[in-house]
Amino acid sequence: MYTMRGVTRDYAWGSKDAIPELLGTPADGSPVAEMWFGAHRSAPAALDDQVHGDLAALIASDPSTMLGDDVRARFGDCLPYLLKLIAPAQPLSLQVHPHVERARAGFDAEERAGIPVDAPHRSYRDRNHKPELVYALTPFEALCGFRAPRRAAELFAGLGSPVAEKLRSQLRADPSPGGVRAAFTSLFAPASRPSPEDVAELVAACRDRLAAGSTSPRADTTVLTLADAHPGDPGIVASLLLNPVSLQPGEALFVPAGGVHAYLEGLGVEVMANSDNVLRAGLTAKHVDVEELLEVVDYVAAPPIRTAPEVFHGATRVFYAPVDDFELSVTELLDEAVHPLPGRGPRILLCLDGSVTVASGGDEVRLEPGRSVFVPASEGVLTACGTGTLVQADVP
């Protein structure tokens, strides 16, 4: 087993203290938006083993032992998932992740165009899809997928702004996925995009409605939150088209490829396919690719996918995602007994609190908060003991 250290990402939307507090390290005043535990080439986890340096190099040195024949046959010589801590203090971009076919085509097109893979204006940084699951460690707020068009039309009713009236009329006239697509596209396509002044008028109308005792306070409050962070952005208006999601600690949300979403605030664990492909429409200072995003989005209105866990040997809850790339388990150890852990193949385990000892055969590793370990496929059944909480990513 190989102990390793996550790689921090200092995106501007990140909390300055949530992840440091979890890890028991002092905050330095800089945002710590994410911490990556994986082998993606953008930021592979650093190994305590000085021979290989990082997890990507370790896997490349002996992919058969590290990944196993089954994973290699399905995913090639790379770890198929990426585990993260994520801590938004401000809203993330309104975004979508591509399906694998679109990712391959987009990546190859940008390669042919000679765009460096790390260029800020690049949309596709690898050839993989990026479905993801977020597990809440604190109350976690998000927007995910499209509301029922009837409900979205109700939210626009009575606001009185030209943008609101246009969208209400579109949704009432055509509540099909095609109508949702037309409404969403009208907010971001250059020919129909509302001006910052138009957006500000809708925001003011939501503020007035909230002050007057709104029947939709949650939606109006989200509009005001987004307007404070990104004034004039059409993504503010788009929030009224999307499902609000509030996760309590211990709950999980699955976001499929093609699912439009924006995380707003909270602290969580994320596991996703091994990709850094993000297509953005707004609510960001980063590169946006509206044309590509509009082609990738799934416009079918549906409730958010909340993933219910299954219990494994009492101490562990397993969140099975409807993809082949990953699954997530959470083990809470309340006594000093030895508990078996689920999963097989290449595994990454991360301690969230307490002190936990993970063992495989005659090898064992003690983990404290924020410490992680990579377990090769060649290792057998794992056990854990101690007092604390452990999350594990593995391949179904």
Side-chain angles (χ1 to χ4, degrees), residues 102-115 122 124 127 292:
R102 193 85 187 189
R104 289 170 179 168
F107 180 86
D108 292 345
E110 289 186 315
E111 288 289 282
R112 289 193 299 270
I115 303 173
R122 176 124 182 183
Y124 290 99
R127 304 180 76 247
E292 184 69 6

Side-chain angles (χ1 to χ4, degrees), residues 36-116:
W36 291 22
F37 302 86
H40 193 276
R41 61 184 176 189
S42 295
L47 299 179
D48 293 329
D49 166 22
Q50 298 300 314
V51 176
H52 298 96
D54 64 53
L55 183 56
L58 174 67
I59 292 172
S61 72
D62 189 356
S64 182
T65 297
M66 298 300 156
L67 301 176
D69 293 338
D70 173 63
V71 168
R72 292 183 72 200
R74 289 190 286 155
F75 300 101
D77 289 347
C78 65
L79 189 68
Y81 59 80
L82 174 60
L83 182 68
K84 298 182 182 179
L85 293 172
I86 182 169
Q90 301 176 35
L92 276 69
S93 60
L94 186 63
Q95 61 186 255
V96 69
H97 307 304
H99 296 276
V100 66
E101 297 83 3
R102 193 85 187 189
R104 289 170 179 168
F107 180 86
D108 292 345
E110 289 186 315
E111 288 289 282
R112 289 193 299 270
I115 303 173

Side-chain angles (χ1 to χ4, degrees), residues 152-161 164-165 168 202 204-206 208-209:
E154 290 174 354
L155 292 175
F156 289 117
L159 289 177
S161 76
E165 283 302 305
R168 185 184 70 86
L202 181 139
C206 288
D208 292 343
R209 183 166 68 180

